[in-house]
Amino acid sequence: MIGQLEKEWVQYVTPQGQLTDMGVSCWRALPDESKLQFYRWMTLVRLFDRRSILLQRQGRIGTYAPLEGQEAAQVGSALALSREDWIFPSYREHGVQMIAGMPLSQIFLYWMGRVEGCKAPEGVRCMPPYVPIATQIPHAVGAAWAAKLKGEDSVAVAYFGDGATSEGDFHEGCNFAGVFGAPVIFFCQNNGYAISVPFSRQSATKTVAEKAAAYGFDGIRVDGNDILAVHDVMRQAVAKARAGKGPTLIEAVTYRKGSHTTADDAKRYRPETEVREWVQQKDPLVRYVQLLKAEGLLSDADEQAWEAECKERIDLAIREAESASPPPATHLFEHVYANWGPNERRQRQQCEQGGGQAR
Ligand SMILES: Cc1ncc(C[n+]2csc(CCOP(=O)(O)OP(=O)(O)O)c2C)c(N)n1
């Protein structure tokens, strides 16, 4: 069913790692350092993701949302943004968070259930992960509109999945953005499923991108496993928003290789042949490495050296996150109610009397 969606999209690098006609000029225009940066970030993100799943299995972090398969969509889009842009992620955007400047240790802290994992360092314009589906969309539109009213140059990006397009927040956000010309980018990673619900049960239109027409702005569909194409499409959407030409809806067609979260079993609802095709033939990192090697920009030794460095960075981040002092149990009561009722007051008091330490 995902196969049926693969019509009329932007693709610069084929699954076999070859440049398409459209891809050649984009590739020539990019400096080598940017080409290598794409590879380095995708590798770091993938190794972080694999390690997180191991940590979850060892009971060292809580339920985790894997992203393997979506590295090109996340890295390619995030690298087209600048520090003044506002990012509104869902719970699967660890790659986007890293590029925005969120330290790896803080991303681990988030998955350990720590409030410290939500607060971006000063100057990092990345919101905490939004778990209630699509709620980040109107917030992103609001931030974009505010920037426009203030005469700032920044754009806002809402990251969400195909499932989010069924929520009212998506339609309200798009409608408002279209009417007011807000400098916002709606970046949908269509990974084919909302937990177990396939895209064909999510939408009566064949694509997400075509929905933009109803709101009066551009929608574009891109091979989300092709980092070169994703980056270029996002770069153009950002330039358009900065120039005051309004929003864009980008549909990056991709696939989550693993389960929805570590609490899910995707084997129960996805055909094995479909998974095999995406995993073995369409992987975003494998195809890009093939291209870099064919172009003489990456060797096996470079690859090994970079993977070793990523592992060191990840180890260090885990050590930092695990050495953080335990949170007071009273944190349970923070950031939930503006005004406490008698039950919350009593429970908090009991908690303080009990020593107030979690664990
Ligand atoms: C408002 C709301 N309804 C339901 C849920 C339960 N839920 C968690 S993830 C999810 C599926 C989301 O799918 P999609 O938007 O495609 O993103 P993906 O997980 O595939 O990245 C649902 C329904 C939720 N978190 N929030």
Side-chain angles (χ1 to χ4, degrees):
M1 144 234 339
I2 291 262
Q4 290 166 12
L5 300 174
E6 294 174 359
K7 286 180 201 147
E8 295 172 37
W9 65 356
V10 181
Q11 188 186 63
Y12 289 176
V13 185
T14 67
Q16 294 73 37
Q18 273 151 1
L19 289 169
T20 62
D21 291 345
M22 279 171 86
V24 173
S25 53
C26 175
W27 183 253
R28 286 204 190 117
L30 265 184
D32 286 352
E33 189 46 36
S34 305
K35 293 172 183 166
L36 287 170
Q37 218 190 11
F38 289 167
Y39 157 76
R40 291 193 194 115
W41 276 111
M42 281 203 286
T43 304
L44 178 64
V45 172
R46 176 161 296 187
L47 295 178
F48 171 93
D49 188 65
R50 290 187 175 172
R51 191 63 180 279
S52 298
I53 294 170
L54 293 179
L55 292 178
Q56 192 279 335
R57 297 295 186 236
Q58 294 166 347
R60 291 160 72 185
I61 63 173
T63 302
Y64 172 77
L67 64 73
E68 182 160 336
Q70 301 183 208
E71 296 90 344
Q74 296 197 15
V75 172
S77 57
L79 284 176
L81 296 169
S82 71
R83 279 283 175 150
E84 73 258 20
D85 298 327
W86 293 94
I87 296 173
F88 294 77
S90 88
Y91 44 76
R92 209 182 293 287
E93 268 77 71
H94 330 309
V96 174
Q97 286 182 298
M98 285 178 211
I99 293 172
M102 211 50 195
L104 298 191
S105 56
Q106 266 187 275
I107 304 176
F108 281 128
L109 279 170
Y110 173 82
W111 293 102
M112 290 172 181
R114 300 287 300 261
V115 70
E116 296 88 336
C118 288
K119 192 173 180 299
E122 203 57 45
V124 172
R125 292 184 158 185
C126 187
M127 298 299 128
Y130 282 68
V131 177
I133 302 300
T135 50
Q136 69 274 35
I137 296 174
H139 289 186
V141 174
W145 192 40
K148 184 177 174 174
L149 292 178
K150 287 177 174 171
E152 288 178 1
D153 211 19
S154 60
V155 306
V157 187
Y159 281 92
F160 53 92
D162 39 297
T165 63
S166 291
E167 292 284 351
D169 279 348
F170 168 75
H171 300 280
E172 289 157 23
C174 285
N175 193 54
F176 191 101
V179 170
F180 290 92
V184 61
I185 291 142
F186 300 98
F187 194 90
C188 177
Q189 289 171 82
N190 182 352
N191 63 13
Y193 291 84
I195 315 185
S196 58
V197 178
F199 186 68
S200 57
R201 301 291 292 168
Q202 197 70 250
S203 171
T205 57
K206 283 219 169 68
T207 74
V208 171
E210 69 196 84
K211 294 177 192 293
Y215 306 108
F217 53 81
D218 297 325
I220 185 157
R221 201 151 192 265
V222 60
D223 179 347
N225 284 11
D226 169 1
I227 191 160
L228 200 59
V230 172
H231 182 264
D232 201 43
V233 163
M234 184 71 166
R235 186 188 58 77
Q236 290 178 35
V238 170
K240 188 186 109 178
R242 281 205 218 291
K245 294 183 182 156
T248 305
L249 169 61
I250 297 175
E251 176 187 8
V253 181
T254 182
Y255 200 73
R256 112 172 105 71
K257 285 166 69 175
S259 291
H260 172 72
T261 66
T262 49
D264 169 51
D265 178 6
K267 287 197 199 79
R268 295 180 60 184
Y269 54 83
R270 295 194 310 196
E272 221 176 283
T273 46
E274 179 188 286
V275 180
R276 204 172 318 123
E277 187 185 336
W278 281 91
V279 170
Q280 294 179 358
Q281 294 168 28
K282 297 182 180 173
D283 185 276
L285 184 55
V286 171
R287 93 170 60 171
Y288 193 64
V289 165
Q290 277 174 342
L291 175 65
L292 285 181
K293 286 187 172 171
E295 296 282 325
L297 289 171
L298 188 77
S299 67
D300 291 348
D302 296 334
E303 231 183 328
Q304 280 163 15
W306 179 244
E307 284 178 16
E309 184 168 338
C310 290
K311 283 179 186 148
E312 262 178 49
R313 289 190 196 185
I314 293 165
D315 283 342
L316 178 68
I318 295 170
R319 280 201 296 280
E320 277 173 18
E322 290 189 330
S323 63
S325 50
T330 48
H331 266 186
L332 280 172
F333 298 88
E334 308 279 332
H335 313 299
V336 180
Y337 302 105
N339 301 307
W340 292 353
N343 281 344
E344 291 75 42
R345 264 197 293 275
R346 180 177 45 76
Q347 287 169 357
R348 193 191 150 103
Q349 213 174 14
Q350 282 171 349
C351 193
E352 280 169 345
Q353 283 160 1
Q357 286 295 311
R359 288 187 188 174

